[in-house]
Structures are given as structure tokens and as C-alpha cells.
Amino acid sequence: MTVATAQPRHRIRPRVAPWAFLAPAIVLFTLFLVLPIGYAIYLSFVGLRVQGGAFGTRQQVFVGFENYINALTDPELVASLGRLATFGFISVPITLGGALLVALLLDLPRVRFARFSRTAIFLPYAVPGVIATLLWGFMYLPTTSPINYVLSAIGWPTINFLGAQGIFGSLANIAVWASLGFNMIVLYTALRSIPVEVYEAARLDGASEWQIARLIKIPLLAPALLLTLIFSLIGTLQAYSEPTTLKSMSNSISNSFFPLMKVYRDAFGVDNVSGAAAMSVVLALGTLAVSVVLLRVLQRRTFEGTR
């Protein structure tokens, strides 16, 4: 008597199922990220040349690193990077310092209205950048500024928010107002993940709330602080909507005030798409390099802290 053995079922479906679920995300990732990046890199290595004499046709030819050399030696790009650095030196420390201070205050025991305060501070992050810039722009204009109205009423000199000296502070104020809430939420969430027993032990030893914040909370927040620093630096390098929106209100902002504004002008204003692509790649590589360095610093600190 023979017993029929069951044939093993094909194991194709368990292997295909994960890829089927991932397929929509992979397609969107490829179409809207991989292909545009690849096309930008391709454009950065080509240039338009006239073929066939003075009345010939313009064709794309391979030019090697010519566009990158022109981008790195462009005085307008260097100047825009300097202005961006000034903007970052103002906005990034204030954003991170303010977010850390607010997160520590909201984490104090028996603090009142903590939920309302978190929501109120986070709300500006939900406002689109263009709308936020328009709102602050009307507060900066000399004819509509309530700040200058109050200063004039009490006999104090008014402030030229949109002038050459005040434009960096005005732009940094918009950036801080919009991004402080997001960074505060990140830091506050990291604080809530710290075991309460650590604080209770410190209080039993007689530590004050200031000593707990300085010696326990802030050191344990190092990974979250570094993460918010990376976010802030990337946001600074991507600054575009604020100065572009304020440009119509201020003569101090040019078409190449920040690097991304210059990239847009070169690509769509003067038809230098290849040069703009090379600048974009340079900015992307610079952002990547800064992020990698900061992450390596975090990994080294974490490794040394666990030894």
C-alpha cells in the first residue's frame, strides 16, 4: 500500500508579497527622487554648444567638470553662501536654544497649561512658509508695521526691518518663528522618554531642577539635539521661499541673495540649466557632507558614553 506524498506548495507568493506592498513606494521614489537626481547630475556634465557655424543648431555636448569649476569660482555663488552663513549663524542657535529652553520648561514637574503651550508653540510650524512670510512682511513694512507705530508713539527711532542691516534679522525671525515648535516637540519627546527614576534619584540626593536639567537632561538629549541641528542646517541650506516672498517688499534682496535663488534664476531666468544643475549638486554634496560629519560625531560620543 503506497501513501501519496503531498507535493510542496510553491513558495513564490510569500516572496512576492513584500515586493508587491513595496512596489508603489518604490515606483514613486524612483520617479520623483532617483530619476530627477540622476537627470540633474547628467545635466551638470553637459553644456549647450553651437554646431555648424554661426547659424548652426545648439546641441548638448559633454563638458566634463566645466560647470562645476564655473560654479565653485562664481563670485555670486560665493557671496550668496556668505549671506546664507550669516542667516544661519543667527537663526540656527536661536532656534535650537529656544526649543531646548521651552522643552525643559514644559518638562518641569507640576507645570501648568503644558498641553496648551505645546500646541500654541507648535502651531506656527503648520503655517506654510509663503503665508508666514507675508504675515511678517506686513509687520515689517514701514507703513503697516505695528512695531514701528509703537516706537514712533513713544518717541523712539523706528527700525528698518527690510533694509540692508535688518534684513538678516527679519529673515531669521521668520525661520525661528516657524521652526522652533517642531524642534521643541522633538526635544520634548526625547525628554519624556528618559526614565522618571533617574530624576527621582537625583532629587533624593538633593539636586535642584537646574542641576537636573544641566547635568542629566541636557547630556541625555545629545542625540536629539544633534538631530535637530541637522534638520536646522538642512532647512537653512534650503532657504528660498522667505527671501523670494520678501523680495517684492525689500530692495536689499536680489535674485541671487541665497544659493537656491541663484540656482532658480540661472535655470529659468538666464537659461543656464547646466550651470544651475552643477550648483544644485554642489549644494547637495555639501549638505550630505555636513550631515555625515555630525552623525559621525554623534556615533563617537555615543560609543564613548557606553564604554
Side-chain angles (χ1 to χ4, degrees):
M1 180 176 180
T2 59
V3 179
T5 57
Q7 296 295 328
R9 294 185 178 181
H10 294 288
R11 298 183 179 273
I12 297 178
R13 294 183 62 183
R15 297 178 180 177
V16 173
W19 293 105
F21 286 113
L22 289 174
I26 293 175
V27 171
L28 293 175
F29 179 80
T30 303
L31 289 178
F32 296 101
L33 189 66
V34 176
L35 290 180
I37 291 176
Y39 187 60
I41 295 174
Y42 162 76
L43 288 176
S44 66
F45 287 102
V46 299
L48 291 176
R49 296 290 187 270
V50 178
Q51 303 291 335
F55 301 97
T57 59
R58 299 174 65 188
Q59 297 181 357
Q60 287 185 345
V61 297
F62 179 76
V63 296
F65 290 96
E66 178 181 334
N67 293 320
Y68 289 94
I69 296 174
N70 293 335
L72 294 173
T73 56
D74 190 346
E76 278 192 337
L77 181 61
V78 175
S80 66
L81 287 172
R83 288 188 288 267
L84 186 67
T86 303
F87 167 73
F89 281 132
I90 299 173
S91 62
V92 173
I94 296 177
T95 300
L96 297 184
L100 176 61
L101 177 61
V102 173
L104 291 174
L105 291 175
L106 292 176
D107 194 55
L108 288 174
R110 297 183 299 276
V111 65
R112 294 184 177 182
F113 308 110
R115 183 176 299 178
F116 171 78
S117 300
R118 290 197 306 268
T119 305
I121 296 172
F122 180 75
L123 274 179
Y125 179 74
V127 179
V130 175
I131 297 177
T133 306
L134 287 175
L135 291 174
W136 281 102
F138 284 111
M139 299 184 69
Y140 293 154
L141 284 174
T143 56
T144 59
S145 173
I147 302 174
N148 283 334
Y149 176 80
V150 173
L151 293 176
S152 300
I154 62 178
W156 289 8
T158 59
I159 302 174
N160 186 7
F161 293 102
L162 301 177
Q165 300 298 324
I167 193 62
F168 290 102
S170 300
L171 290 171
N173 174 65
I174 300 173
V176 172
W177 181 80
S179 59
L180 188 145
F182 172 80
N183 292 284
M184 178 270 298
I185 291 294
V186 174
L187 297 177
Y188 180 78
T189 304
L191 281 173
R192 302 302 292 180
S193 66
I194 299 175
V196 182
E197 292 79 6
V198 177
Y199 304 149
E200 294 177 350
R203 293 189 182 99
L204 289 176
D205 290 339
S208 63
E209 293 299 327
W210 163 246
Q211 290 174 328
I212 292 174
R214 181 171 58 90
L215 301 176
I216 298 177
K217 292 183 178 181
I218 294 179
L220 292 178
L221 279 179
L225 283 170
L226 187 57
L227 180 65
T228 54
L229 175 60
I230 293 175
F231 287 159
S232 299
L233 290 176
I234 293 175
T236 300
L237 291 171
Q238 294 177 346
Y240 175 79
S241 60
E242 294 87 355
T244 302
T245 305
L246 281 184
K247 181 178 175 297
S248 59
M249 305 179 186
S250 173
N251 294 326
S252 302
I253 301 178
S254 62
N255 289 328
S256 59
F257 190 77
F258 282 166
L260 286 186
M261 296 178 67
K262 176 174 170 53
V263 170
Y264 181 86
R265 187 206 65 181
D266 289 354
F268 303 103
V270 298
D271 198 23
N272 184 15
V273 178
S274 298
M279 293 181 197
S280 301
V281 174
V282 169
L283 292 175
L285 291 177
T287 304
L288 178 63
V290 171
S291 302
V292 169
V293 170
L294 291 177
L295 288 175
R296 288 292 180 88
V297 172
L298 173 62
Q299 292 176 352
R300 183 175 301 176
R301 286 176 59 96
T302 305
F303 176 75
E304 292 177 353
T306 54
R307 287 195 306 177

